[in-house]
Amino acid sequence: MTHTIGVDIGTTGTKTILLDTSAGIVAQAGREATLHSPLPGAAEADPAQWHANVVDSIREVLRASGIDADDVVAIAVSGMVPAVLPLDASGRPLRRALLQNDARATAEVRRLAAALAGVDLVALTGSALTQQSVAPTTAWLREHEPHVYERTAHWVGSYDWVLTALGAEVHVEQNWALESGLFTIDGALADPVLAAAGLDAATLPAVHRPGSVVGTLSAAAADATGLRAGTALVVGGADHVLSAYAAGVNSPGDALVKLGGAGDILVASDTQVVDERLYLDAHPVPGHWLPNGCMATSGSLIRWFQSLVGGTDLLALDAEAAVAAPAEVLCLPYFLGEKSPLHDPDLRGTFAGLHLGHTRADVYRSVLEAIAFGFRHHVDVFAEIGIPPSRVMITNGGSKSTLWKQIHADVLGLEMRPVRGHPGASLGAAVIAAIGVGALDDWSDAARFVALDPPVTPDPDRRAVYDDAYATWRQLGDAVAPISHTLARRTPEGKEVPQ
């Protein structure tokens, strides 16, 4: 038997699986993570907690499975992208990581956009300059934390650093590079962007594709995890990309709706498609692409609402909302600004249409519907650029909600195929670890570990209601945007924002 380990560094937690390459998953473990928001719009995570979570969860899967450490041949790591972690010359983090939904560098986005006005960034890098781009984040650090910026020897992402902490060379993965906006679509340095940001090219590590072996497990990491020193360390990839890969998104038109802390939608393409409203990622399979969108909130908005109403169980909230009328209240889900397709960090969340007869069920249902409307906005964009989704899988924590799956089917007008027991990106990472060391022969082997539940089909009557509501929702977004911008300018910087 040959085994690999796949780890996913997520916004709300770390997930680790142990994969038997002939039989499937034999053990899995998870650890919660803390989201820090020291300023309005800020989103940070502690790399020390990532490391502790990885060590603890690897020990747990070994203990639970009874597998001998010598049977584990490789480890690969996935994670959120493009988180930004500055390292010193020894590879040690200089501060907490700034996550991909961090929205504090708004002034830097505007300044860099002005400086790069003559550059077609979408054609050059695959994405527009947005709050997710890395250059504005580094510029913010130079302005506000010069003591960190001046000591930074390397800029890396979440999963890249975890692999480095286990013994790999300092590196970044292909899709971190692509989504960072610091590299061209072909992987070369985007010199105009570096020049505008004042970034030293020497601080950007080597870029590697998923499946590349970049080192072996150090003796210290072996002692900590219980694994064998010398175990291969393999480049994994961006969480949404590997989650899509492990969910069976491989043929053109295959799509994944991923209901995590943020909301992702990816569509497989056999051609390179760029659009300023979307992000472009490389599919793990060489020569394939994954144009995609990422909304700043999804599950995080659900959890916020849950805390606001006293921590009521989500199943109880679902039961209440299931009997509420659809789209009586409209919600704009821009509680952390918005990433794609609007790329506007100064947007704010909104509830509209409330009256005194409404209950928390109506408001909660509007939150569920708001995320589905955001995905429909993306589906419209995909259709406009010639890659409409035709087969849609749905995964992650939110996909456990029967109501939310049905709302997505009704709003999108598409069958939703839940992936049964899908562990997400950790499975994709474990499969890629196996491919990297030759324990699996082909990229298509991932399909052996995927099972789909019966599809959730759209209800024609509710679909008609949602068609009308979606048009109004778009109008509401346009109308409220100027007010959001005014309010954003008034937001004072201050104490840590509760999560």
Side-chain angles (χ1 to χ4, degrees), residues 99-147:
L99 304 186
Q100 67 283 355
N101 55 353
D102 189 280
R104 75 187 89 179
T106 54
E108 288 75 15
V109 170
R110 287 192 291 268
R111 285 200 294 268
L112 285 172
L116 293 164
V119 179
D120 187 344
L121 289 175
V122 175
L124 180 68
T125 68
S127 299
L129 183 72
T130 72
Q131 71 180 65
Q132 182 167 292
S133 304
V134 170
T137 300
T138 64
W140 187 93
L141 285 168
R142 182 176 59 223
E143 175 69 23
H144 296 273
E145 298 181 12
H147 60 290

Side-chain angles (χ1 to χ4, degrees), residues 300-361:
S300 57
L301 180 54
I302 303 301
R303 293 296 183 184
W304 171 82
F305 183 85
Q306 182 187 31
S307 68
L308 206 64
V309 296
T312 304
D313 182 78
L314 291 177
L315 289 177
L317 291 174
D318 270 12
E320 293 177 4
V323 295
E328 278 210 358
V329 178
L330 294 181
C331 170
L332 297 176
Y334 310 136
F335 288 70
L336 280 174
E338 187 55 294
K339 295 165 70 176
S340 64
L342 298 173
H343 301 301
D344 189 343
D346 288 335
L347 292 178
R348 293 294 180 263
T350 302
F351 291 100
L354 285 163
H355 59 68
L356 292 180
H358 284 134
T359 67
R360 74 176 181 184

Side-chain angles (χ1 to χ4, degrees), residues 10 51 73 95 98 151 180 398 410:
H51 186 265
V73 296
R95 71 176 320 281
L98 289 83
R151 295 174 57 202
S180 73
D410 295 340

Side-chain angles (χ1 to χ4, degrees), residues 418-429:
V419 182
R420 185 184 309 151
H422 186 44
S426 53
L427 173 58

Side-chain angles (χ1 to χ4, degrees), residues 48-419:
Q49 186 179 51
W50 291 343
H51 186 265
N53 284 349
V54 170
V55 168
D56 289 349
S57 57
I58 288 177
R59 282 194 167 276
E60 182 176 335
V61 295
L62 288 177
R63 184 172 59 251
S65 66
I67 296 298
D68 191 278
D70 288 341
D71 291 331
V72 179
V73 296
I75 306 166
V77 184
S78 176
M80 59 198 116
V81 63
V84 180
L85 185 60
L87 306 180
D88 67 15
S90 299
R92 291 187 294 263
L94 292 167
R95 71 176 320 281
R96 292 191 301 221
L98 289 83
L99 304 186
Q100 67 283 355
N101 55 353
D102 189 280
R104 75 187 89 179
T106 54
E108 288 75 15
V109 170
R110 287 192 291 268
R111 285 200 294 268
L112 285 172
L116 293 164
V119 179
D120 187 344
L121 289 175
V122 175
L124 180 68
T125 68
S127 299
L129 183 72
T130 72
Q131 71 180 65
Q132 182 167 292
S133 304
V134 170
T137 300
T138 64
W140 187 93
L141 285 168
R142 182 176 59 223
E143 175 69 23
H144 296 273
E145 298 181 12
H147 60 290
V148 169
Y149 187 89
E150 291 163 5
R151 295 174 57 202
T152 299
H154 308 288
W155 302 99
V156 300
S158 58
Y159 51 102
D160 304 315
W161 177 77
V162 167
L163 211 59
T164 297
L166 294 176
E169 64 186 65
V170 178
H171 67 283
V172 291
E173 182 265 334
Q174 180 184 18
N175 279 320
W176 186 94
L178 191 56
E179 290 209 21
S180 73
L182 301 176
F183 295 81
T184 69
I185 295 174
D186 297 327
L189 291 173
D191 292 326
V193 178
L194 269 62
L199 265 181
D200 182 356
T203 61
L204 298 176
V207 179
H208 292 288
R209 278 193 51 81
S212 305
V213 178
V214 287
T216 59
L217 194 69
S218 68
D223 288 341
T225 60
L227 292 170
R228 173 181 53 82
T231 302
L233 299 175
V234 179
V235 175
D239 55 0
H240 57 296
V241 172
L242 297 201
S243 185
Y245 168 61
V249 178
N250 295 305
S251 300
D254 286 350
L256 175 68
V257 167
K258 181 171 172 281
L259 299 174
D264 297 297
I265 180 168
L266 306 93
V267 181
S269 173
D270 55 6
T271 59
Q272 188 184 104
V273 181
V274 294
D275 188 282
E276 64 181 357
R277 294 166 291 182
L278 301 173
Y279 303 106
L280 177 66
D281 284 299
H283 196 285
V285 178
H288 287 66
W289 298 90
L290 278 171
N292 65 86
C294 179
M295 300 185 298
T297 62
S298 176
S300 57
L301 180 54
I302 303 301
R303 293 296 183 184
W304 171 82
F305 183 85
Q306 182 187 31
S307 68
L308 206 64
V309 296
T312 304
D313 182 78
L314 291 177
L315 289 177
L317 291 174
D318 270 12
E320 293 177 4
V323 295
E328 278 210 358
V329 178
L330 294 181
C331 170
L332 297 176
Y334 310 136
F335 288 70
L336 280 174
E338 187 55 294
K339 295 165 70 176
S340 64
L342 298 173
H343 301 301
D344 189 343
D346 288 335
L347 292 178
R348 293 294 180 263
T350 302
F351 291 100
L354 285 163
H355 59 68
L356 292 180
H358 284 134
T359 67
R360 74 176 181 184
D362 297 297
V363 181
Y364 179 64
R365 184 173 184 118
S366 78
V367 170
L368 299 178
E369 292 166 342
I371 304 302
F373 286 148
F375 281 122
R376 178 160 174 179
H377 195 173
H378 284 87
V379 168
D380 286 353
V381 174
F382 286 125
E384 288 173 21
I385 63 176
I387 49 171
S390 56
R391 191 175 75 105
V392 184
M393 276 65 75
I394 187 166
T395 64
N396 279 57
S399 67
K400 297 174 184 175
S401 167
T402 300
L403 173 62
W404 208 10
K405 286 182 289 193
Q406 186 64 58
I407 286 173
H408 277 86
D410 295 340
V411 169
L412 300 181
L414 295 166
E415 286 188 341
M416 310 301 292
R417 294 170 170 82
V419 182

